């Protein structure tokens, strides 16, 4: 079984085919996702919430990320692995280079960081050094305190224009993928159609190029279920493998997310 590459994800976008992504934090679930055929695994700093019991992702350390990325890498058989760069570990380009080195050496094939145009120099530097970069706009959990909580982003025209402009600049700086979180469907569609790089959504409607959910959310075992989450395990009657397969199939068929999981 071959590993999925970022080039293959770019090919899916070019051909109009959707790609699936789930978070994983250990070898067992990574192996299961590989078996099902999930395209991408994100080792997210969401582990702070669902593994560590933290209120936000801010307390997650680089050492935490290295440990969980290494666990996932050992179990993975086919998925593209993206590793989050945790809070305040990429505040300067030089710091980002060292963080990315550790994330990649732990087993990730791409790094993900949150933020807009202020990251341009960092993205250029990482790209020049051969490190594929995924960026993250909209609701950025590491900045939840400054955003005033978990709120939909980009609803007014000024904020929407700013997000689109940031997305373009991040792509021009060398980003190979973009995550949009809690963004109105129409804006997410416009961004995905404007950019040539794959755009992955979480609470961003069905017209982006791929979908990601936190594993514990889609299995219905998280204490809080956001509007954009569907409990796939309930429909799969408690079968974890069937739930993951259903998520994958519905993403590919463009039946998830449905309008009730999206924002206007």
């Amino acid at each position: 079984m071959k590993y999925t590459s970022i080039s293959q994800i770019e090919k899916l976008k070019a051909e109009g085919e959707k790609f699936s992504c789930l978070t994983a934090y250990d070898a067992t679930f990574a192996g299961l996702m590989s078996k099902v055929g999930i395209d991408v695994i994100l080792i997210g700093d969401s582990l702070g919430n669902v593994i560590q019991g933290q209120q936000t992702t801010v307390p997650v350390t680089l050492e935490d990320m290295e440990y969980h990325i290494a666990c996932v890498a050992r179990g993975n058989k086919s998925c593209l692995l993206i590793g989050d760069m945790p809070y305040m570990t990429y505040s300067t380009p030089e710091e980002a280079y060292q963080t990315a080195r550790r994330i990649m050496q732990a087993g990730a094939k791409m790094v993900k960081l949150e933020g807009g145009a202020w990251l341009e120099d960092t993205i250029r530097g990482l790209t020049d050094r051969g490190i594929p970069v995924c960026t993250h706009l909209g609701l950025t959990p590491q900045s939840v305190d400054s955003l005033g909580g978990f709120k939909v982003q980009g609803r007014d025209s000024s904020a929407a224009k700013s997000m689109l402009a940031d997305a373009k600049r991040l792509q021009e700086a060398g980003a190979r993928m973009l995550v949009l979180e809690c963004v109105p469907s129409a804006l997410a569609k416009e961004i995905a159609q404007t950019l040539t790089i794959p755009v992955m959504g979480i609470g961003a409607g069905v017209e982006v190029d791929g979908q990601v959910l936190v594993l514990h959310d889609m299995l219905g075992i998280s204490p809080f279920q956001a509007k954009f989450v569907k409990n796939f395990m309930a429909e799969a009657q408690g079968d974890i493998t069937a739930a993951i397969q259903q998520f994958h199939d519905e993403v590919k068929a463009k039946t998830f997310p449905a309008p009730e999981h999206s924002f206007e």
Side-chain angles (χ1 to χ4, degrees):
M1 189 176 292
K2 294 183 178 179
Y3 287 94
T4 300
S5 67
I6 180 57
S7 296
Q8 288 170 291
I9 300 298
E10 290 168 338
K11 186 171 182 283
L12 290 178
K13 175 181 174 101
E15 294 174 348
E17 184 177 342
K18 305 301 181 182
F19 66 93
S20 60
C21 177
L22 288 172
T23 64
Y25 316 98
D26 62 41
T28 302
F29 272 106
L32 180 57
M33 291 176 192
S34 298
K35 183 179 179 181
V36 166
I38 294 294
D39 297 303
V40 181
I41 290 176
L42 170 64
I43 306 92
D45 57 4
S46 51
L47 69 90
N49 305 103
V50 299
I51 302 295
Q52 298 176 338
Q54 307 282 5
Q55 293 299 307
T56 71
T57 62
V58 169
V60 176
T61 67
L62 181 52
E63 290 74 19
D64 292 334
M65 292 305 308
E66 288 177 296
Y67 173 79
H68 287 279
I69 290 168
C71 290
V72 169
R74 285 190 286 269
N76 180 46
K77 305 301 180 187
S78 63
C79 309
L80 173 67
L81 299 187
I82 304 177
D84 267 343
M85 293 170 65
Y87 179 72
M88 290 298 289
T89 63
Y90 50 95
S91 56
T92 66
E94 292 71 23
E95 186 177 33
Y97 305 153
Q98 294 306 312
T99 299
R101 173 183 61 81
R102 292 173 61 175
I103 293 289
M104 297 290 283
Q105 287 181 334
K109 301 301 180 184
M110 176 178 245
V111 301
K112 184 172 79 67
L113 31 72
E114 299 179 4
W118 69 272
L119 286 170
E120 285 179 285
D121 289 343
T122 295
I123 293 169
R124 287 194 185 94
L126 289 168
T127 300
D128 288 345
R129 288 158 177 79
I131 298 172
V133 177
C134 175
T135 54
H136 186 149
L137 292 173
L139 174 59
T140 47
Q142 291 177 12
S143 306
V144 68
D145 293 320
S146 64
L147 293 174
F150 296 94
K151 301 177 180 179
V152 179
Q153 304 295 308
R155 272 192 158 144
D156 65 75
S157 59
S158 175
K161 289 179 182 177
S162 178
M163 194 180 301
L164 177 58
D166 273 355
K168 291 178 181 178
R169 291 176 67 174
L170 294 172
Q171 175 177 269
E172 290 167 3
R176 300 285 297 275
M177 189 183 293
L178 170 68
V179 172
L180 292 176
E181 182 169 356
C182 288
V183 172
S185 298
L187 173 59
K189 178 181 179 180
E190 181 181 7
I191 292 172
Q193 290 180 341
T194 300
L195 300 188
T196 59
I197 61 173
V199 176
M200 182 161 59
I202 177 168
V206 74
E207 296 297 335
V208 290
D209 306 305
Q211 300 292 334
V212 58
L213 284 179
V214 172
L215 173 67
H216 297 62
D217 292 348
M218 61 82 65
L219 293 178
I221 57 176
S222 295
F224 172 73
Q225 292 290 97
K227 171 185 169 69
F228 55 77
V229 173
K230 177 177 177 179
N231 183 343
F232 284 89
M233 192 152 74
E235 293 192 8
Q237 299 180 325
D239 185 324
I240 291 175
T241 303
I244 293 173
Q245 183 71 63
Q246 184 178 337
F247 166 77
H248 176 71
D249 292 345
E250 289 191 16
V251 169
K252 293 290 187 180
K254 290 181 63 175
T255 56
F256 177 82
E260 62 264 29
H261 308 116
S262 307
F263 301 102
E264 298 303 324

